[in-house]
Amino acid sequence: RKPLTFHQLSQQIEGNVPKDKNSFYVSFDDCNTSVYTHAYPFLKQHNIPFILFITQNLIGKKNFLTAEQIMIMAKDPLCTIGSHAVNHKMFRYHTPSEASVEYEQSRRYLQQLTGQAIDCFAFPYGRRVEVSNQNIKQLHETEYKFAFSAIAGNLNQQWLSGKFYLPRVNVSERVVIRD
């Protein structure tokens, strides 16, 4: 299996290149400190690109990444930063104006913090009971290029949901990787 860079992943999502069944991408939602202390050293050692979906209001909270840790990883070419909203709340219960603030404020904040373009989003919780069609449609009207759900699947199943509600494979935090 071959890890995808963010550019390669984007190309596959946009349909500019065929989807490679032998490739994968790594992403983290919420981003607790173990991403920095355990996952990042492993990914760096093995040259595996990854996406961090950051919730703005969790930055610096107990057991979550600090702004400094995010900036360190954002400088690494292996790392791409994505938004996971301002607050980690179910989008289905946001009004359109609240959802708009969640999309745009988090994007602007993360761009200022990292100096990177923030092109992707992951819905907090991300299952269909927590994300409405209106949320997905509204996100489509933003400057994000694509977004991820918490629905199990792979990019070959993109036709199920379009590029603003992409499936992913969830890996439990209880998984232990040994060299």
Side-chain angles (χ1 to χ4, degrees):
R1 299 228 177 237
K2 177 184 91 172
L4 295 173
T5 65
F6 182 74
H7 176 74
Q8 292 166 327
L9 173 63
S10 298
Q11 292 295 303
Q12 287 190 22
I13 291 169
E14 296 291 342
N16 297 331
V17 298
K19 292 179 177 70
D20 181 353
K21 291 180 183 181
N22 291 317
S23 64
F24 67 93
Y25 63 95
V26 174
S27 64
F28 299 91
D29 291 1
D30 308 335
C31 298
N32 61 36
T33 55
S34 68
V35 170
Y36 185 77
T37 59
H38 293 84
Y40 179 50
F42 176 86
L43 295 166
K44 193 167 179 67
Q45 177 184 356
H46 296 282
N47 202 37
I48 300 172
F50 59 98
I51 305 170
L52 300 178
F53 288 108
I54 306 289
T55 302
Q56 181 180 338
N57 284 345
L58 292 179
I59 297 171
K61 302 277 191 221
K62 184 177 180 177
N63 298 323
F64 289 93
L65 292 178
T66 65
E68 293 77 21
Q69 291 168 326
I70 293 167
M71 289 187 298
I72 288 167
M73 288 188 283
K75 289 177 185 171
D76 191 318
L78 293 172
C79 180
T80 299
I81 303 294
S83 174
H84 200 42
V86 175
N87 301 289
H88 199 277
K89 294 182 179 174
M90 294 179 201
F91 264 69
R92 179 173 291 278
Y93 302 111
H94 286 308
T95 65
S97 62
E98 290 169 337
S100 181
V101 167
E102 291 286 325
Y103 296 136
E104 295 307 321
Q105 182 180 319
S106 64
R107 186 172 177 275
R108 279 193 311 274
Y109 173 82
L110 291 170
Q111 284 180 162
Q112 283 184 311
L113 178 66
T114 66
Q116 287 187 6
I118 306 300
D119 293 328
C120 56
F121 185 86
F123 285 99
Y125 302 100
R127 296 173 303 160
R128 286 305 279 160
V129 297
E130 292 110 5
V131 179
S132 71
N133 287 338
Q134 180 180 0
N135 300 141
I136 297 166
K137 183 177 186 264
Q138 187 176 1
L139 180 69
H140 188 282
E141 296 166 1
T142 68
E143 293 184 39
Y144 290 104
K145 292 181 180 176
F146 50 87
F148 292 93
S149 70
I151 293 176
N154 61 54
L155 291 182
N156 290 320
Q157 297 164 309
Q158 178 178 341
W159 58 271
L160 289 170
S161 55
K163 69 179 189 174
F164 289 95
Y165 197 68
L166 295 161
R168 296 190 278 178
V169 174
N170 183 39
V171 177
S172 170
E173 292 177 1
R174 296 187 251 319
V175 171
V176 177
I177 300 172
R178 292 185 172 87
D179 278 332

